[in-house]
Amino acid sequence: MNAWERAEGSPFPLGASWIAEESSFNFSLYSRHATAVHLLLYRKGDLVHPAREVKLNYLFNKSGPIWHCRIHCESSDDWAYYAYRVDGPAPQGGYDFHDFDFQKVLLDPFAKRVFFPESFSREAARRPGSNEGQAPLGILPNQFCEFDWQDDRISRHGSDLVIYEMHVRGFTNNPNSGVPETHQGTFLGVVDKIPYLVELGVTAVELMPVFQFDPDDGNYWGYMPLNFFSPHHAYSTNPSACNQRDEFRMMVKELHAVGIEVILDVVYNHTCEGDHRGPTYSWKGIDSSTAYMMTGNANTPYANHSGTGNTMHTANRAIRRMIVDSLRFWDSHMHVDGFRFDLASVFTRNSDGSINLDDPPIVSEIGTDSDLCDDRLIAEPWDADGQFQLGKKFPGQRWMQWNAHYRDTMQRFVRGDRGMVPDLMTRLYGSCDLFPDDLRHALQPSLSVNYITSHDGSTMYDLTAYNEKRNWANGHNNTDGAKEYSWDCGWEGDEETPSEILQIRKQQVRNFFCLLMLSNGTPMFRMGDEFLQTQRGNNNPYNQDNATSWLDWVRRVEHADIFEFVREMIAFRKSHPSISRSRFWRGDVRWYGTGHLVDMSSESRQLAYCLHGESQSDKDIYVMINAGSESTEFGIQEWAFEKWRLAVDTSFTSLSELASRSESQCVVTPTWNSPSRSVCVLVER
């Protein structure tokens, strides 16, 4: 068999691989419908004319739907890049639509690194005919591209898990970030800022998409993937050689060294190729009906459940294998700890777009893969075409989920909406309505990823500064962006803000963070919210690669009090394991209002509760929440009042300021006057 493989190549592994003992490259490409496949090998000095073009013979170089070949490399061969040209049937009707164009230079979907020539052009990929010299190319695997992980390992966090959503470029690309200029906006820039993350206290970073995406598409966020196996070239200081992978791996290794998990926001529901009017970079020209869901309509052949023009055909076994192989690659070769799946409801769609909630194959394959069994799996449990599967409806049994109901409840309650108390109780408790722990479901509160803001919306500060979004710069007539529940605190915008308005806004942000850290479940917040990052009212800056989206590190100094409060609340949560549990609080919690009974009326804006910590070897916690515009007196319903001390009051700038006042050390009356729009937390002495 080895002799046959040396002559004909091997169908596995897919992609390009180096066979050291043979001084050969093996190439393997899946295309069920192709009638002709040519392999193109390029030197660095000529990206227009291939140094070698190999025509694959289906009698020797095809096994089932996989085309393959083995190319011996002489010492004089200086090939650096590779690509394909693929031909096949003309566009056909129904679900057999094809987009073959034999003149197109096509990127291998399994390339581990991607190279962009200086003349790279998205437009050349959009129009019919050749895009030679303008196409992205795969970088041939270098046999010396090894990385020393040493003793890299990470322990999974439990009750102390706090997720920090981060955009790699936006985190340090601002010149005031304090990192070396060559590191700004890169993986190494994140490494430079690790001491900051440690000081803040977060225990996981969730990186917005770092897969190679189309640099010509104008999607700063990175949600237009071009390849599922390679880090984005612009996030490394040098996109050549091994840097694309090694600098990512260096970042992961250094984060692990300080106990921070690395979670990737991954996009497997669509690609940057768009619909029939979009570019042909890779999948579309290799085998479009395998890669994408089709409508059967010749005028709009590509199904669009993602809102971006196409939808990955995850019901197809070849696409499922590619996705699982991609996850395995990032797990085993890049040492990441988990994945957050963008628009994960697409995974539940059958080939015709209908919904399969019983056992969608891709969800099952990911969840049961032995190589991924220790990884965190987080779903965004909806898609752009009406599916909303939050909670028990989503078929991934051990998958965590972004909890949009938590977000909406907290935004509405903190801004002062009435009648939110019953829902507030449910969200603080861990959203048992969505993740029930009954006999049938046996779900847990930690599956709920609680957040108030994410990249997909306003910053937390902007929620308190703008009633109206300001998305004009995005180019959609201010019609884009999520619906949110904001309140400008009586002054629209951030220009010439009176000091008293700014203080209200800061108190509202403290309320948000306090409630987030007091909730059962898994907390997540977006980068910069800890020092009042602003996007000037833009709540959808997906195409704003500028100061709108880059962190302004000057605000870290200007609003050091907010940073200090957030840091202290994270530490408070970590010091009280009874807050975040593997199970719901059940009998350990007692709910109250300003008096003994909870006021669940349509007018209520107050809630109190006592969380008993003995079962978790923790102290008791008594929380009083007042979202009203006037101060309110709460009766302390448990234990003698002398038992309690005040640990948190969001009307103070920080917990350390509170602790410095002797009158806060103990409670001296059986009632507590809670300031307007505040959260007060008592802790057992």
Side-chain angles (χ1 to χ4, degrees):
M1 180 62 71
N2 285 339
W4 296 347
E5 290 179 350
R6 287 192 187 100
E8 302 171 2
S10 172
F12 297 107
L14 289 163
S17 51
W18 173 250
I19 314 298
E21 59 271 22
E22 299 178 21
S23 297
S24 298
F25 291 107
N26 192 86
F27 298 92
S28 177
L29 181 74
Y30 183 101
S31 181
R32 174 173 295 278
H33 297 101
T35 57
V37 174
H38 286 206
L39 171 69
L40 312 175
L41 298 171
Y42 295 89
R43 296 188 179 97
K44 290 184 177 181
D46 188 348
L47 303 179
V48 176
H49 306 97
R52 184 173 177 184
E53 182 165 348
V54 182
K55 178 180 179 180
L56 276 60
N57 184 333
Y58 77 92
L59 292 174
F60 299 98
N61 304 117
K62 188 171 187 282
S63 299
I66 300 177
W67 299 74
H68 49 82
C69 66
R70 187 74 56 91
I71 304 298
H72 183 73
C73 184
E74 300 289 351
S75 58
S76 59
D77 294 322
D78 55 355
W79 308 318
Y81 313 115
Y82 75 106
Y84 292 96
R85 290 197 292 129
V86 181
D87 205 359
Q92 301 176 34
Y95 296 103
D96 292 323
F97 181 86
H98 301 297
D99 243 330
F100 291 108
D101 182 347
F102 191 59
Q103 292 182 291
K104 279 285 183 286
V105 176
L106 302 172
L107 176 69
D108 178 8
F110 278 76
K112 301 305 186 291
R113 287 169 291 155
V114 179
F115 173 78
F116 294 89
E118 291 185 7
S119 56
F120 166 74
S121 170
R122 177 181 175 86
E123 182 58 32
R126 287 185 67 248
R127 59 177 180 256
S130 175
N131 60 339
E132 289 179 331
Q134 299 174 292
L137 304 173
I139 299 176
L140 285 169
N142 188 317
Q143 61 270 38
F144 304 111
C145 202
E146 298 296 330
F147 184 81
D148 184 6
W149 284 103
Q150 296 177 323
D151 58 349
D152 176 67
R153 62 172 57 91
I154 182 70
S155 299
R156 295 294 184 266
H157 293 281
S159 64
D160 61 340
L161 179 61
V162 179
I163 301 174
Y164 187 75
E165 188 192 29
M166 175 196 298
H167 188 283
V168 169
R169 180 168 170 82
F171 190 53
T172 63
N173 203 54
N174 198 316
N176 64 24
S177 65
V179 306
E181 184 176 356
T182 56
H183 289 186
Q184 290 171 8
T186 69
F187 299 127
L188 294 187
V190 175
V191 174
D192 293 332
K193 283 292 186 181
I194 286 177
Y196 171 82
L197 298 173
V198 172
E199 180 185 9
L200 180 59
V202 296
T203 51
V205 292
E206 183 175 297
L207 304 180
M208 290 174 65
V210 298
F211 289 4
Q212 181 64 65
F213 57 88
D214 184 352
D216 225 8
D217 185 57
N219 191 294
Y220 159 77
W221 281 353
Y223 288 94
M224 284 296 181
L226 174 63
N227 178 274
F228 295 153
F229 292 86
S230 57
H232 186 57
H233 71 295
Y235 292 168
S236 59
T237 61
N238 178 1
S240 62
C242 298
N243 280 37
Q244 288 187 30
R245 281 191 292 175
D246 286 357
E247 292 186 3
F248 177 89
R249 294 189 283 193
M250 175 63 72
M251 175 190 68
V252 172
K253 179 180 174 182
E254 294 302 318
L255 286 166
H256 283 177
V258 296
I260 295 178
E261 298 180 32
V262 179
I263 301 168
L264 300 189
D265 189 338
V266 292
V267 184
Y268 293 118
N269 63 83
H270 71 275
T271 77
C272 64
E273 291 188 306
D275 59 17
H276 58 292
R277 298 163 297 183
T280 298
Y281 288 130
S282 183
W283 297 276
K284 190 185 289 185
I286 293 170
D287 197 341
S288 58
S289 63
T290 292
Y292 300 114
M293 294 173 60
M294 296 299 174
T295 65
N297 184 341
N299 295 321
T300 55
Y302 291 92
N304 186 21
H305 304 298
S306 64
T308 62
N310 62 52
T311 307
M312 291 300 289
H313 191 185
T314 60
N316 180 282
R317 69 182 67 183
I319 297 305
R320 295 201 304 270
R321 172 157 190 157
M322 178 180 66
I323 291 172
V324 172
D325 282 353
S326 170
L327 294 170
R328 288 171 176 163
F329 170 79
W330 290 95
D331 170 84
S332 61
H333 293 281
M334 311 298 264
H335 284 208
V336 304
D337 307 292
F339 306 92
R340 179 265 188 189
F341 295 84
D342 178 65
L343 299 182
S345 289
V346 164
F347 287 171
T348 68
R349 291 191 179 270
N350 297 314
S351 295
D352 62 358
S354 59
I355 301 299
N356 175 7
L357 290 179
D358 293 328
D359 189 19
I362 182 63
V363 175
S364 177
E365 288 184 30
I366 293 172
T368 59
D369 187 274
S370 59
D371 292 332
L372 305 174
C373 62
D374 289 331
D375 290 331
R376 294 191 187 278
L377 305 176
I378 306 175
E380 183 184 39
W382 51 82
D383 65 19
D385 203 17
Q387 279 301 302
F388 189 80
Q389 299 163 350
L390 175 59
K392 60 187 177 183
K393 189 175 181 181
F394 188 78
Q397 291 306 304
R398 69 181 184 93
W399 293 47
M400 303 165 73
Q401 300 176 37
W402 273 27
N403 191 341
H405 284 339
Y406 181 96
R407 174 199 64 200
D408 295 348
T409 295
M410 292 302 173
Q411 288 183 7
R412 294 183 61 192
F413 178 82
V414 170
R415 80 171 180 178
D417 286 12
R418 299 176 185 273
M420 298 298 299
V421 167
D423 206 27
L424 176 67
M425 294 168 63
T426 304
R427 303 301 150 230
L428 290 168
Y429 186 71
S431 294
C432 58
D433 58 335
L434 301 172
F435 303 94
D437 63 348
D438 56 20
L439 178 61
R440 176 186 175 190
H441 297 95
L443 301 177
Q444 298 86 37
S446 60
L447 298 179
S448 173
V449 177
N450 301 328
Y451 68 104
I452 294 161
T453 56
S454 69
H455 72 274
D456 200 4
S458 296
T459 67
M460 196 178 290
Y461 173 75
D462 285 358
L463 277 181
T464 72
Y466 296 89
N467 287 339
E468 305 296 333
K469 61 187 177 184
R470 299 187 181 185
N471 295 1
W472 299 99
N474 302 343
H476 305 291
N477 261 344
N478 205 36
T479 59
D480 60 314
K483 174 180 171 57
E484 297 178 288
Y485 303 97
S486 59
W487 175 51
D488 65 8
C489 298
W491 185 275
E492 182 70 10
D494 200 30
E495 297 177 4
E496 301 180 355
T497 306
S499 59
E500 61 271 19
I501 296 294
L502 180 58
Q503 292 311 309
I504 296 175
R505 290 176 179 174
K506 285 189 171 185
Q507 184 160 323
Q508 290 289 79
V509 169
R510 289 194 291 271
N511 289 334
F512 280 133
F513 268 110
C514 185
L515 293 174
L516 180 64
M517 294 303 159
L518 290 174
S519 300
N520 201 359
T522 302
M524 181 193 77
F525 63 97
R526 60 178 288 167
M527 68 177 193
D529 276 350
E530 70 274 17
F531 52 68
L532 303 189
Q533 173 73 6
T534 179
Q535 294 171 169
R536 309 300 179 191
N538 191 332
N539 79 342
N540 188 41
Y542 74 96
N543 57 3
Q544 300 300 312
D545 187 5
N546 51 47
T548 299
S549 294
W550 303 341
L551 282 195
D552 181 2
W553 289 89
V554 170
R555 295 178 75 87
R556 161 69 178 88
V557 178
E558 293 176 344
H559 305 295
D561 56 328
I562 295 297
F563 172 84
E564 185 66 13
F565 180 85
V566 174
R567 186 190 67 79
E568 292 170 332
M569 280 308 307
I570 292 173
F572 181 87
R573 180 183 179 88
K574 289 179 178 179
S575 68
H576 290 285
S578 64
I579 296 175
S580 179
R581 306 188 185 189
S582 63
R583 305 291 168 174
F584 291 105
W585 295 337
R586 289 195 172 276
D588 281 349
V589 68
R590 295 289 185 271
W591 302 98
Y592 304 103
T594 55
H596 190 74
L597 299 178
V598 179
D599 183 356
M600 295 192 181
S601 71
S602 60
E603 296 299 309
S604 176
R605 291 185 291 186
Q606 288 80 31
L607 175 70
Y609 65 92
C610 183
L611 180 61
H612 298 278
E614 183 178 3
S615 67
Q616 309 297 310
S617 301
D618 194 5
K619 294 183 176 181
D620 293 351
I621 300 171
Y622 198 94
V623 179
M624 295 165 285
I625 309 167
N626 177 22
S629 57
E630 304 292 335
S631 61
T632 299
E633 188 173 81
F634 285 80
I636 300 174
Q637 305 299 321
E638 299 221 7
W639 310 109
F641 59 83
E642 298 92 343
K643 169 183 176 175
W644 303 104
R645 67 174 179 85
L646 181 63
V648 180
D649 184 341
T650 58
S651 68
F652 285 78
T653 59
S654 69
L655 306 192
S656 55
E657 179 199 359
L658 185 64
S660 67
R661 302 194 177 194
S662 58
E663 63 269 23
S664 71
Q665 295 305 303
C666 59
V667 177
V668 296
T669 65
T671 61
W672 188 266
N673 191 52
S674 178
S676 63
R677 301 187 181 90
S678 70
V679 182
C680 296
V681 182
L682 309 179
V683 175
E684 177 186 3
R685 295 178 64 188

